[in-house]
Amino acid sequence: MRDLKANAIILIAYLLAGIGSFLMAIPPGFIAPVWLPGAIGLAAVLLVGYRALPAIVIGAILLTLPYGLFVLEAGPVSSLAGSAGLALAAALQAVIAKRLIHPGTVSAMSLETGPQLARLIAVGAIFASLCGAALASAWLTIGGFAPPDLDFWTAFARNWAGNAVGAAAVSPVILLLFAKERVSRRRKRNVALVFAILSVIGLATFATTRFNAIEQRREAFATLITEDHIALQERINGARRRLESLHALFAASETVTDQEFATYVAIAFGQFDSATSVHWLVTEDGGQLSQHALLDPPAELVATQARAILVTSDRRVVTDHYFEGLPNLVETTLLTGMLSGTPLFGEGDEAWIGLALPAFAGNTIPATVNDRRRDFRGIAVGTFDISTIISRAFTHEGDDYSFRVSGIGSDGVAPWSFGTLDADSRLTTSLPLAIGDETWLIEFAATDRFLAEKQDWLSWAVIVIGLIFITMLNALALMSTARTDLVQRLVDEKSAEALALSNNLSLVLEHAADAILSVDGNGRGVLVNPAAAHMLGYELDALTGEMIHELIHPVDLQGRPHNRTECPVFQGSPDQSRHSGIERFRRKDGSDFFAEFSTEIIISPDGTTVGAVTILRDITARMEEEADRERFIEQLTRANEELERFAFAASHDLQEPLRLISNFTGLLASRHGDKLDESGLTYLRHTLDATARMQTLITDLLAYGRLNSDADAMNTDVDLTALVSSTLDTLGPAVQAARDHIEIGSLPVVRGNPARLGQLMQNLIGNAVKFQRAGQQAEVRISARDLGKSWEIEVADNGIGIKPDYREQIFKPFKRLHSPDTYPGSGMGLAICRKIVQSHGGMLTIVDNIPTGSIFRFTLPKALPTESGEVGTPSETVDP
Ligand code: ADP
């Protein structure tokens, strides 16, 4: 439905444009100087796409079919074929234009930039119509649909120029006026106005030029035919003069021999090549006429030659004619006594003028008809070939005009005529032709060719140059209006953006939790947000224009007075435009608060400070919290230290009684064991075991507690290889038994405390050998990896492993996963290990060993480099 409506509109526009173009067309080419439908087609495909094609095809057929049928009279079939070809060319042109223009043009319709317009004109108007014109002209001239005298190149040139110029001048305007894109009404109106004015000027110039040209042609025609008319009249007069001289010959002598006649005629008519026969007919008594005939009479005349004219006794010419019409001619001459003429027609186009001149006795013309009949002595008759007369007189017949010579009948109807006059000619002139005292009429009709010559090219030039001019002015109008349009649009957009921005900024300022204050170059408040006013205890507008520096506490955090000159706004420099820190501020009511501030100094390009923006955050609460926290930590640390001291003292003091219990229980067993029965001995053994465990616990606890003291030096280079092997020596029988299965990789020299590191290795290796399944051979591997800044040491075993859930718990003091009966121990080993690694700045963790067992990993600092650059060779280390 939408398509139908669009197509209907396009079709109507196309037809109107076509009719307008035809009106501008000038014969004989009948090709419009400007083919406006091309412009409609181009604009239509660009506006609605290929949907416009049906309208273009139908429009082209409707325009050209009547032309073929009625102007060229080419017959229905070839007219239809011709217009179909032209329609195809029009569609092709539109498709090419659309394909080439559209992909590259972002905003094809608003033609906002010069390149867009240039592209439309170059590709859409000039190039696409080149293709259309080539096809159309080939179709026209090869298919024989064109006017007869139109060759391919002329057709092509006119078609192309007309199409291209029309499309270039008109399509941008159509596109702009009907574009869906944002084109302001003002711009549309301006462009339409400029185009309309220019078109009116162009058309007026075209019409004036054409009118002038027609006028000029009319004048040229008048001059031309006057010349030719005079020449014709002269020619006829010449014939008459020759006949008169012939007449003088016979008047002078009554008897003229054929020989004399021949000589004389040869002299008089020899150079007069239109004369076909010359006769001298004389009346004789008894009605006999003697005659001389010369030159080359036409066949018909020859056939009736002998004694052709009989004059009766009453001197009437009788019917035995020399040629048809002669009696009338003679009669006319007798009536007037003067030269008389008559047209003579032969076969086909052959025609002559017969001229007759009477001779009377006494060589004077008797006054009355009766006297003239009486004195009639003879008649000189000449026949002149009209074609030859005309061809000698007329210089431009045929090409420039057609003509007709006719007699004037009494009723206004020509009794006879010669020649074919183009009755449709737009310029005809008739002039009289004097034959004796008789008048014939000669009519001239200008040919289309004559009328079109010059005028055609002039008008074309006017139209084409005019349209090029229109195109250029239009382009200027399009682009200049586009610029104002663009500027307006830009202004609108930017204003909207600015408004949105300022709204956003107001929102930000209004809702910011931090105080925002901006000051001018003198440090006076320019803008203060509600948070700032609230923080400082002022009304919102109260701080505008006030010295903002006065809000800072008069004494700074170091107890020095705060000078106004120290205000950051006076300290700004291009390299240091930001100041931040913590400052004490004073509210309006005199109360103080601490705030973190950040000030950005605004420095203009010439280096002067034009103002500053400061953001304040009240940190009074935070500072109080921090002070509370620090106090709390201090208390906690103190309590912890006391607790540790107490635990250490307690375990140390517990050792003594425990040793006594252990010693005395041992003595009881050794000295009085024989007095005890079986269960008594068992109790004694349990007591001994428990005290031993208690002792281990206390020893380990003391060891753990001792690690808290920083007394131990941590800065010795320790060769781990030596450390591990000496550690192994100190370990119990289980380790000794597994010693062959303890693999010691190449271990580095690290920095730390040898005693603590020995303890660490002892615990880890001990555990690795201890936590094995019954009957399984323990396999332990100790290795190291360079992490760049530190060493990563790994102790891996094939033991029972540790479930992921317990991997963190087992580092807690006394945490054990088994009963002392299964695997003996205090549960302090790993806690001590972690503390040792931590005291070396590292971390101890557990990872899975595949397929079974555990891997303990920890980092230790590298030994300091020696002078040779090597890190910790064994020779330079302290052997623990
Ligand atoms: P203890 O060895 O005195 O029991 P530790 O602190 O050294 O105490 O170890 C805590 C627990 O971690 C042990 O009871 C044991 O369950 C587990 N554990 C430690 N090392 C290993 C190991 N190499 N393989 C398996 N379990 C281990």
Side-chain angles (χ1 to χ4, degrees), residues 24 26 199-217 454-455 458-460 462-463:
M24 282 193 280
I26 303 162
S199 302
V200 167
I201 295 174
L203 278 175
T205 319
F206 171 68
T208 319
T209 323
R210 254 199 98 179
F211 182 73
N212 281 342
I214 287 175
E215 213 31 56
Q216 277 173 10
R217 286 276 85 188
K454 289 198 186 107
Q455 161 205 338
L458 195 64
S459 308
W460 269 62
V462 165
I463 276 283

Side-chain angles (χ1 to χ4, degrees), residues 700 763-764 767-771 797 799-802 810-812 815-818 823-831 853-854 856:
D700 287 351
N763 286 2
L764 290 177
N767 278 355
V769 174
K770 180 164 67 173
F771 293 105
D797 64 56
I800 58 171
I802 302 158
I810 53 167
F811 288 106
K812 296 206 172 104
K815 180 69 189 176
R816 307 200 70 240
L817 300 180
H818 309 278
Y823 296 107
S826 66
M828 283 303 291
L830 287 181
S854 318
F856 286 79

Side-chain angles (χ1 to χ4, degrees), residues 769-790:
V769 174
K770 180 164 67 173
F771 293 105
Q772 288 288 341
R773 278 178 205 88
Q776 175 164 293
Q777 174 60 56
E779 303 273 354
V780 184
R781 197 182 64 248
I782 306 159
S783 56
R785 197 155 69 97
D786 192 345
L787 295 184
K789 286 191 177 153
S790 58

Side-chain angles (χ1 to χ4, degrees), residues 535-548:
M535 201 177 283
L536 293 155
Y538 287 86
E539 290 295 307
L540 186 57
D541 295 328
L543 289 169
T544 312
E546 294 300 317
M547 276 312 282
I548 297 298

Side-chain angles (χ1 to χ4, degrees), residues 790-808:
S790 58
W791 289 103
E792 184 187 73
I793 318 294
E794 195 177 278
V795 179
D797 64 56
N798 61 337
I800 58 171
I802 302 158
K803 289 197 178 122
D805 287 352
Y806 299 113
R807 282 181 192 165
E808 202 40 51

